[in-house]
Amino acid sequence: MKPRNSLFLGLCTLLLTSSGMWSCIGGSNNSGKAAPNLNAQLRQLIREHGLTGDPAKGRLLPSINDPLAQLGMKLFFTKGLGGNMDAACVSCHHPVFGGSDGLSLPIGVDAVDPDLIGPGRLHQAGAHGFDGGPTVPRNSPATFNVALWDSSLFWDSRVESLGKSAGFNGGDGYGIRTPDTPFGEADLMAGTNLAAAQSRFPVTSPEEMRAFTFEAGNDNTAVRDHLVARLGDFGIGAGELPGNTWLNEFQTAFSSSAGAEELITFERVVEAIGAYERSQTFVDNPWKDFVEGDQNAISRSAKRGAILFFKPVEDGGAGCVQCHSGDFFTDEQHYNIAVPQVGRGKGDGGTGTDDFGRFRETGQSEDMYAFRTPSLLNLAVSGPYGHSGAYTSLEAMVRHHLDVETAIANYDTSQLDPTVQTGDWQVNSQAALNDLLQKRVLGIQTVMNCVLNEQEFQDLMAFLDALNDPCVLDRQCLDPWIPDGSVSDPDGQRLNGKDQFGQPL
Ligand code: HEC
Ligand code: HEC
């Protein structure tokens, strides 16, 4: 039998490290050697991984011009859904940030300037829970391409399809579990897709939208009932948005002449918001063109990077595809890769500022510190990266994967906005790293150390760059998803986002 090493293409030499892991030491002069066969090699890998290039293939997705998506956009942008009318969905998910907010950690209610989105958004001194830093413990994930998740939403997948039939986005008859139901049990109010199900929760979170005084002490149902009464101008919400025209908007979107109490329900609110979010599909990137046959759609460097991405570590690659698999570049599973834990945390651990991730939902030790594998589309606009936004540069986020121990030892908190809470980051991150090292010994999947030379690293970055849809970098192209003066503002509460210099987003 041939020794294992001779099978490898000479791209790297394998070392069995003390922790029992294969470690890849990249060979320096091979990127050039492989060049003549680049296309053939890559096409072979694409076939092996069954890629089509188009993660939206076969999905029935709404257009932003659909009346329902239009209503959803207006709801997404209104502070009227915030308990104290000072936060909207868009506060943390603006299209110019790829459906995120450009911050490591978000601030929802009680911002100094509610309409300022992105860097410079600050929590009001003296407001509930003020500590100078962000109030929300996890990085805001992109709403762009949210329709492409089949299994779950949130970093810990606490909104979860119980059926998981590929391509159906939660609507496969088994239902969707949400934070309103025990683990494993369907929430009968979840609606027909994950995006709608998820939209039921930001309005109930005091830090995100609800605020601390609105329906204080009452349950999620009371919050939602009050909000729809406000939009519909009836009952407990009558007069809170005087003269609003939401009833007309709902009548148009749902082709109905019913009255407000019948028509404006929270189920319809989230159906519309879900339609808007599901219209945010941005997958037309150079990589897709390449997979679909255009040999020149991506650079040679990106092709070499793609090969590294798809090849296993024991085969001279970087092994990224092990978790970032498929056309959407995620297996929708959870792993502990020990991204530094900064921010307020979720109340876990001895510090109280730790975040146990998926373990919080399942209670299984293999899920300790595990977070859902993110997609890798449109990373150019969706940073900072990781569940805590600990990495403000994509390069540092990728380097973290290649050598977690060194990345944690050298983690530089000065990359963060100075307001981000970092007091406990070392204790918390060391605990996650210890757990990761333990998982390696137990054979539980996590990242493997892999040394790439500078050229290989740049190649990998060039590949990630080929996963950006040019539309997400083009403000004009995003126009249809950002309401301007020509789009009716039903309650005068539209959040017209601006940056820290006062410029409209
Ligand atoms: C204060 C900031 C903030 C506001 C306001 C906010 N979100 Fe989020 N959103 C987040 C954060 C943070 C997460 C991730 C939380 C987690 O995983 O625990 C998230 C997660 C999501 C996700 C899941 C994405 C994924 O890939 O899993 C969707 C979809 C989403 N929000 C939509 C909305 C909608 C719709 C609204 C309005 C009803 C809204 N958000 C309001 C911060 C915010
Ligand atoms: C063992 C599974 C696994 C492997 C292998 C892996 N990743 Fe990840 N990746 C993850 C998980 C899980 C996260 C999120 C972790 C967190 O935030 O705590 C992540 C996060 C990321 C992010 C941040 C995305 C965002 O939106 O915040 C990037 C970029 C990334 N990975 C790229 C790569 C690259 C490039 C490789 C190959 C060198 C790779 N990953 C290999 C599991 C993996």
Side-chain angles (χ1 to χ4, degrees):
M1 201 189 134
K2 277 191 193 174
R4 265 176 83 100
N5 279 11
S6 68
L7 292 171
F8 307 143
L9 302 176
L11 276 173
C12 81
T13 310
L14 281 176
L15 303 172
L16 191 58
T17 63
S18 53
S19 56
M21 289 304 298
W22 289 108
S23 175
C24 161
I25 307 298
S28 52
N29 48 13
N30 285 282
S31 328
K33 245 192 237 166
N37 295 321
L38 271 185
N39 288 336
Q41 267 194 64
L42 195 44
R43 296 268 169 224
Q44 173 66 28
L45 286 164
I46 287 168
R47 269 192 304 278
E48 278 170 22
H49 289 280
L51 303 179
T52 68
D54 184 1
K57 214 187 196 92
R59 290 169 196 261
L60 259 182
L61 300 176
S63 148
I64 182 58
N65 299 317
D66 291 353
L68 198 56
Q70 286 291 308
L71 172 62
M73 176 165 76
K74 293 168 197 169
L75 290 164
F76 197 89
F77 277 76
T78 182
K79 291 178 276 191
L81 281 177
N84 285 350
M85 298 198 238
D86 71 344
C89 304
V90 77
S91 306
C92 307
H93 300 286
H94 197 284
V96 305
F97 296 108
S100 180
D101 63 357
L103 295 170
S104 288
L105 295 166
I107 293 159
V109 303
D110 296 332
V112 171
D113 181 345
D115 295 352
L116 193 165
I117 301 179
R121 185 177 175 90
L122 295 171
H123 193 202
Q124 239 175 67
H128 190 282
F130 176 79
D131 69 357
T135 48
V136 176
R138 289 186 183 154
N139 177 261
S140 168
T143 54
F144 280 14
N145 294 331
V146 77
L148 306 182
W149 294 98
D150 288 321
S151 297
S152 67
L153 292 178
F154 283 130
W155 284 102
D156 54 14
S157 295
R158 63 190 187 277
V159 165
E160 183 170 19
S161 163
L162 298 174
K164 304 190 180 176
S165 80
F168 223 107
N169 209 236
D172 53 11
Y174 291 90
I176 296 171
R177 182 256 157 165
T178 74
D180 277 348
T181 46
F183 187 73
E185 270 179 41
D187 178 348
L188 298 178
M189 305 306 281
T192 54
N193 60 68
L194 294 171
Q198 191 283 336
S199 303
R200 298 174 60 75
F201 295 92
V203 299
T204 65
S205 155
E207 292 82 6
E208 291 191 359
M209 291 176 75
R210 173 178 178 168
F212 291 85
T213 47
F214 183 73
E215 288 291 331
N218 294 331
D219 65 9
N220 289 353
T221 305
V223 173
R224 295 176 187 127
D225 286 351
H226 190 152
L227 291 174
V228 291
R230 175 190 284 173
L231 299 188
D233 206 17
F234 56 77
I236 189 176
E240 291 183 2
L241 288 172
N244 85 71
T245 57
W246 283 112
L247 179 56
N248 289 338
E249 302 279 348
F250 276 73
Q251 286 174 334
T252 305
F254 289 97
S255 318
S256 164
S257 56
E261 287 187 60
E262 191 186 326
L263 194 55
I264 305 186
T265 62
F266 210 75
E267 288 56 57
R268 290 204 181 86
V269 167
V270 298
E271 194 182 337
I273 291 178
Y276 167 65
E277 291 181 313
R278 287 160 55 79
S279 78
Q280 297 181 325
T281 300
F282 297 93
V283 298
D284 284 327
N285 54 54
W287 168 248
K288 173 171 178 276
D289 294 339
F290 179 82
V291 178
E292 290 177 347
D294 178 356
Q295 298 283 61
N296 300 318
I298 64 174
S299 68
R300 298 180 70 78
S301 172
K303 290 175 191 175
R304 292 191 300 263
I307 291 172
L308 288 167
F309 187 94
F310 289 110
K311 271 199 187 166
V313 170
E314 18 349 319
D315 207 1
C320 312
V321 75
Q322 206 190 351
C323 307
H324 297 282
S325 57
D327 288 304
F328 192 37
F329 294 95
T330 169
D331 58 3
E332 303 193 39
Q333 301 298 309
H334 311 87
Y335 305 98
N336 174 11
I337 69 161
V339 168
Q341 173 58 31
V342 300
R344 288 186 177 198
K346 295 285 268 185
D348 295 333
T351 56
T353 55
D354 212 344
D355 184 344
F356 290 167
R358 179 68 174 160
F359 175 86
R360 294 170 54 80
E361 299 302 307
T362 67
Q364 305 284 318
S365 60
E366 67 263 27
D367 291 326
M368 193 66 172
Y369 294 112
F371 293 88
R372 190 191 60 180
T373 308
S375 162
L376 300 178
L377 302 185
N378 304 323
L379 291 168
V381 285
S382 65
Y385 308 96
H387 73 269
S388 60
Y391 288 111
T392 54
S393 84
L394 183 56
E395 183 171 326
M397 179 73 233
V398 174
R399 286 198 193 278
H400 173 94
H401 284 71
L402 303 177
D403 182 351
V404 180
E405 284 155 282
T406 305
I408 293 210
N410 297 341
Y411 178 66
D412 179 7
T413 54
S414 78
Q415 70 194 285
L416 299 169
D417 185 282
T419 64
V420 173
Q421 305 86 345
T422 52
D424 298 328
W425 86 264
Q426 277 168 306
V427 180
N428 292 335
S429 308
Q430 189 60 46
L433 178 61
N434 292 345
D435 178 81
L436 181 156
L437 296 175
Q438 177 73 13
K439 285 188 161 113
R440 282 183 176 169
V441 173
L442 294 173
I444 296 171
Q445 190 167 331
T446 176
V447 283
M448 295 161 109
N449 286 352
C450 179
V451 182
L452 301 179
N453 66 35
E454 197 46 37
Q455 180 63 55
E456 289 169 328
F457 185 79
Q458 293 312 326
D459 290 344
L460 190 55
M461 296 302 289
F463 170 60
L464 295 181
D465 195 43
L467 304 181
N468 292 308
D469 182 333
C471 185
V472 306
L473 292 152
D474 175 350
R475 176 60 181 81
Q476 247 183 339
C477 188
L478 294 172
D479 271 352
W481 288 271
I482 304 171
D484 62 13
S486 73
V487 177
S488 63
D489 177 359
D491 55 14
Q493 292 294 329
R494 174 164 306 153
L495 198 163
N496 291 308
K498 59 181 180 190
D499 69 14
Q500 57 189 323
F501 309 108
Q503 295 305 308
L505 291 177

